[in-house]
Amino acid sequence: MNGPEISVEFAPGLALFVASERRRGASPVTTDGVSTLGHVVESTGVPLTEVGPLRVNGAEVPTSYVPRAGDVVEVRPVERPQHVPGAPLRFLLDVHLGTLARRLRLLGVDTAYESTDIGDPALAARSAAERRVMLSRDRGLLRRRELWAGAYVYSTRPEDQLRDVLDRFRPDLRPWTRCTACNGLLKAATKEEVADQLHGGTHRSYDVFAQCQDCGRAYWKGAHHEQLEAIVERALEEFAG
């Protein structure tokens, strides 16, 4: 038996998650009369990680609200900058976001990354255990209840991905303080301390080094430094402070 019918309107920014017939104006949705509004919204394809204020007949309601026949629902996107309460802001990225992970670490943002596919249950469990915001393009993963917090990565381009994450969460930026390989913290190092990682030309040409306190990897201002410096400068110019 059909339950109450409600009218749902999605903000333009959420259009990519819903069927084409729901992308313009309010659309009718038949509910079962017992499910929460959060469940109803998710059933249309929108992860709750992307949902901000929910309004029913003009008044804001929680996701636990149970819709009634004739309700007019507005689904708004997450408000920016988004505050994640209860833990220091840090991230967990899935196997498909390696470049984004390295760029966040370049900026000094605490970013865990799984370089192999460990599966959605394990990722969600790690998010909860370490209280990390899960970043992913996997909508199914973002709908898992055990996640600490999550966010959909909208673009496939690393430049746009980085800008979107920085705009949404506004993390503190401390460039050149983390290892881009393992996320460990860097310390100043002498040439002698990292000599076993230096080839002839590098050993002769550079005198300033840093080293990861966790994995031991050495860093210096090599051939790609200008490109990395440009990424850092753009981020600081737009999002620092």
Side-chain angles (χ1 to χ4, degrees), residues 20-87:
S20 57
E21 62 268 17
R22 299 189 191 279
R23 293 178 182 176
R24 293 185 179 181
S27 301
V29 175
T30 300
T31 70
D32 59 13
V34 294
S35 294
T36 65
L37 184 55
H39 178 81
V40 172
V41 169
E42 275 199 322
S43 72
T44 67
V46 183
L48 288 183
T49 59
E50 307 312 296
V51 173
L54 291 170
R55 295 188 176 90
V56 173
N57 305 324
E60 190 165 328
V61 299
T63 56
S64 58
Y65 173 83
V66 177
R68 303 167 184 170
D71 278 348
V72 177
V73 179
E74 298 175 67
V75 183
R76 315 308 299 170
V78 170
E79 296 178 338
R80 299 187 178 209
Q82 180 179 353
H83 175 61
V84 181

Side-chain angles (χ1 to χ4, degrees), residues 17 51 67 130 150 164 170 192 194 200 204:
F17 296 108
V51 173
E130 300 180 13
D164 185 48
R170 297 297 174 114
E192 291 70 27
V194 299
R204 292 190 301 270

Side-chain angles (χ1 to χ4, degrees), residues 76-99:
R76 315 308 299 170
V78 170
E79 296 178 338
R80 299 187 178 209
Q82 180 179 353
H83 175 61
V84 181
L89 181 60
R90 49 191 182 177
F91 299 99
L92 171 62
L93 280 63
D94 68 19
V95 66
H96 303 292
L97 298 175
T99 300

Side-chain angles (χ1 to χ4, degrees), residues 157-212:
R157 291 167 43 87
E159 302 81 15
D160 297 333
Q161 291 173 346
L162 180 63
R163 190 179 186 281
D164 185 48
V165 171
L166 297 182
D167 177 68
R168 178 166 175 170
F169 292 100
R170 297 297 174 114
D172 291 334
L173 303 183
R174 299 183 177 89
W176 317 110
T177 61
R178 287 191 178 273
C179 176
T180 57
C182 81
N183 196 45
L185 293 173
L186 302 182
K187 64 174 183 177
T190 65
K191 183 180 291 189
E192 291 70 27
E193 289 175 315
V194 299
D196 61 333
Q197 299 182 53
L198 307 181
H199 301 296
T202 302
H203 195 282
R204 292 190 301 270
S205 303
Y206 300 95
D207 295 302
V208 179
F209 299 91
Q211 187 173 29
C212 177

Side-chain angles (χ1 to χ4, degrees), residues 210-233:
Q211 187 173 29
C212 177
Q213 299 181 53
D214 290 347
C215 73
R217 178 171 176 170
Y219 289 86
W220 59 92
K221 294 182 179 181
H224 300 293
H225 184 75
E226 288 187 4
Q227 178 183 354
L228 299 179
E229 185 73 49
I231 293 172
V232 169
E233 288 181 357

Side-chain angles (χ1 to χ4, degrees), residues 97-140:
L97 298 175
T99 300
L100 176 60
R102 289 188 292 273
R103 292 188 180 191
L104 286 169
R105 290 170 176 175
L106 175 66
L107 296 172
V109 179
D110 189 340
T111 306
Y113 165 67
E114 292 291 349
S115 60
T116 57
D117 188 357
I118 63 173
D120 290 1
L123 283 169
R126 184 175 181 186
S127 167
E130 300 180 13
R131 295 189 173 187
R132 291 181 179 273
V133 179
M134 184 78 239
L135 300 182
S136 179
R137 287 179 53 79
D138 182 342
R139 304 177 194 185

